[in-house]
Amino acid sequence: MTPHVSRVRAAAVALLLAAAACAPAAQAAPASTPTRAPAGAPAPAPAPADTSVDVYIRALADTTERWFGASAQAPDTTGLDSTRAWALAHPKAEPNRAHRLRLAPEFDFNRVLGPAEGARLMLGATSSGPGEATAWAQHAAGPRAWYGGGDLQRRWIDVERGSAWGVRARAGRYCETLDRDFGDSGLDLMRALFAGADRQHRLRRDGAKLVVRRQAPAWWLAGVARIERETPLATTATWYLGGHGLLVTRNDSALAGRVHEASLTAGAHLPRTPLTVEAQVWNAGGALGGDLDYTRVRATLGGPVRLGAHFVLAPEMFYGRLNGSAPPQDAFYGGGAALRSQAAHTAPSAGAAAAHADLLLEDPLQRLAGRKGDPQFPIQFACFAGASARWGFDPVTGLARPTARNWPQRGAWNSEAGVSLLYRPGVPVPDAYLRIDWAFPLGGDGRGRGTYLSFTRLLEFRAP
Amino acid sequence: MRPRTIPPPAAAHSVALAIALVVALACGGPPRATATTAPDRAPAHGAALAVEDTMRTEVPPVFVSAPRVTLDEILDRVARGEARRDSLLADESFLATVRIVSNTGGQGAPQLLEEIVQQVWKRRPRRTRTIELRHWYLHPPRRNEATVGVSVRSSDDMREEIVNFAFQASGRRRYTFRIAGREILGDHIVYRVAFEPRSPLDVTAPAGTVWIDTRDDVVARQEIEFRRSPIPLFVRGIRRMVVERRKVDGVWVLSRILARVDATFPLPRYGRTFDFGLTLTQYAVNTGLPDSLFDAPAAGRDRQEGSR
């Protein structure tokens, strides 16, 4: 746009604004000094539509247009009419996206499967028609075995109420982690492939699973039923991209058996607080049948609390209890998020309780150092404290075993405090931080102070 | 009871008085200036007024008879207004233009890198058709060249969630709101309502300000602000993002989305700072788009026509 044209436009806008400002004044006059229409005079014409809002919004748009310059210009429409006419006269085959088959590569890597390559086929959309159907297959080079399956997902979303119903049915052969509470498949893959630092233990599940979920703005509810055969797996790959020598080589054995399990999850945002509470119950065996018999309960409470303009406190609490037989694949695994000075996904137990809080400085350290603008790599500072306890385990084998206790003994608690430097890259998980923790154990349980590198969320206790 | 707005005459009166006051103050300058130029009366440092001297004026009281409503009520009305706006639309068609402009950081001249023009038709329920009319590159990518690409897809509804996401039922729980300002324009009141994520750890939710026309109870404009980059590894920050609407045949429709992005590293072809612009023009609403427009043609027929 030439300066002359923009000046003319600015002048026009200024005139319009002036007119808009004067128009109400002109209307005000009759209101303050009412005059009577002469008898027999024709009825006054209806008042013109009030365009002052349009003028105001247009003026704001003009300001925006000047700020963005070329990016905000209207397109050159020369030739578009004829292109459109030709396209309509010669319609291309544009298949409905909901009915188009989509193909995506599938890749996984861990010490049990080794590299596993395959593909995923998707058809439909989750929120229309019969839903989205997915079929996938993957060949694991380690055990030279095929994994794969299919699932069907459908969601019904009520935008006005902000609620949704969802149904998902799946069947097939899956490789999953023994730790049912903590973990992220994407992060586990990165740890295993690039650092050889994957601590998760895995098992195989063959069977079917049905999930029904109800989501409202303030609460959610989910029911799950599954019939699956669970099989232990062994380590087949002891390498990663950086070489050999994994942090954890052995893969803990799951208890083999057929599982008939039903579970219920309920959660809510606590009114007038930033806290979220969630409770889950799993039940297997008994009237449901199957080889494994247990009841598993877990509850979490946590949420971020803003403290002033610069700090965020992120407290969370966790309680878990396993009754009946205590198979490793249903036990609770401490460490990690609960206690940084204790390795994650280790030490299974039939009971676990933990409390943890991070105090995060929201401003990047670079800004505190006086640098203005957004830093290239915003580094944040935090300090933390936590306590964790486990009970219901065999002190010799380290495996979980049944217990009648519902709460740990006083001496079972381990605690720590420390400081952290955090960087959030935003990928592959938007709210996960790459963090270096300096943790100092509190109490004399033999843990030494140490430096830990991890990639985790700040609030990790909620169900994945 | 439907609350009444502030009566226009009173508001206009105060506006007129304010204008008169400004004019009077502006006109008050020259005589004093004249006085200072008079050599026999002007002090060395110009005219002086006593500290105790006060300008007196009388402003008639303005009685606001409109009942007050809470911010929550305004937010409820916006949710209903947006739903009403959506229900007014049976179909719409528009020309969508996406522009990527590089070099917008202030160094060097901005350069248009890519432009995509699409004709879009939408009809309730969930029917949409898009025809790409132009795809222009400054530097067309070579085959197998790794580039950052732009892909534009129109959703199959007319709810315009990018404008009203914070006011939807699910968004209300996620954000906190406050009144940031108010404009009285004729018999309209335009509220500026600022919102920000309730959770300080919610990195994907932006903060922002919306302009709400309380006559229609719809969002007329929105400025979005990301206090922290959603993906700091690639995006250092979003300097400014504006979402605009305009009225077409009495219905507020999305007219423009503009964003200036600072990349953490210079991106291939896009550089370090670039603009993303989506402009929607040539709107037509409720024209009764025919079924034939949305029926996907058979691939075979297309090939046959091509072979002829």
Side-chain angles (χ1 to χ4, degrees), chain B residues 20-42:
Chain B
L21 197 61
V22 169
V23 169
L25 284 170
C27 294
R32 285 204 304 271
T34 310
T36 56
T37 53
D40 55 340
R41 297 175 64 188

Side-chain angles (χ1 to χ4, degrees), chain A residues 143-337:
Chain A
R144 296 183 182 174
W146 282 93
Y147 283 77
D151 66 38
L152 185 65
Q153 275 191 81
R154 180 71 168 94
R155 290 194 81 200
W156 293 267
I157 301 169
D158 183 341
V159 177
E160 280 181 32
R161 291 182 181 165
S163 59
W165 279 97
V167 177
R168 182 178 184 186
R170 79 165 203 192
R173 168 172 289 183
Y174 298 83
C175 176
E176 295 182 329
T177 58
L178 265 59
D179 188 344
R180 299 179 71 168
D181 304 305
F182 301 113
D184 182 291
S185 56
L187 299 183
D188 291 338
L189 167 64
M190 285 175 56
R191 288 188 194 107
L193 189 62
F194 297 109
D198 173 30
R199 293 177 182 273
Q200 289 276 16
H201 300 275
R202 291 176 171 80
L203 79 163
R204 195 178 78 200
R205 289 197 168 107
D206 301 270
K209 186 173 177 179
L210 177 71
V211 182
V212 180
R213 189 175 174 85
R214 169 79 172 134
Q215 175 96 41
W219 56 268
W220 57 95
L221 203 63
V224 182
R226 68 181 180 104
I227 299 177
E228 289 178 319
R229 172 166 291 282
E230 297 182 336
T231 312
L233 293 172
T235 299
T236 61
T238 55
W239 57 272
Y240 66 104
L241 285 183
H244 286 79
L246 306 182
L247 192 66
V248 177
T249 306
R250 182 173 56 86
N251 185 60
D252 283 354
S253 284
L255 189 63
R258 176 173 286 278
V259 181
H260 295 185
E261 183 191 84
S263 73
L264 188 69
T265 303
H269 300 294
L270 295 182
R272 301 181 189 283
T273 74
L275 301 176
T276 296
V277 63
E278 188 176 74
Q280 291 176 283
V281 183
W282 294 259
N283 191 40
L288 295 172
D291 301 330
L292 302 183
D293 192 347
Y294 58 84
T295 301
R296 191 176 196 271
V297 178
R298 81 170 240 168
T300 61
L301 173 70
V305 182
R306 191 182 288 281
L307 297 178
H310 303 286
F311 290 95
V312 177
L313 181 68
E316 52 183 352
M317 284 173 269
F318 172 93
Y319 175 83
R321 181 81 177 86
L322 179 64
N323 284 316
S325 65
Q329 59 264 41
D330 298 299
F332 295 96
Y333 289 79

Side-chain angles (χ1 to χ4, degrees), chain A residues 4 27 57 89 95 193 300 329 339 355:
Chain A
H4 174 71
Q27 286 166 13
I57 295 294
L193 189 62
T300 61
Q329 59 264 41
L339 213 59

Side-chain angles (χ1 to χ4, degrees), chain A residues 19 22 24 74 83 91 94 104 120 127 176 238 247 253 315 326 337 342 352 377 379 397 426 463:
Chain A
C22 293
T83 309
E94 289 179 49
R120 178 177 292 266
S127 55
E176 295 182 329
T238 55
L247 192 66
S253 284
Q342 192 178 73
F377 293 99
I379 306 292
T397 63

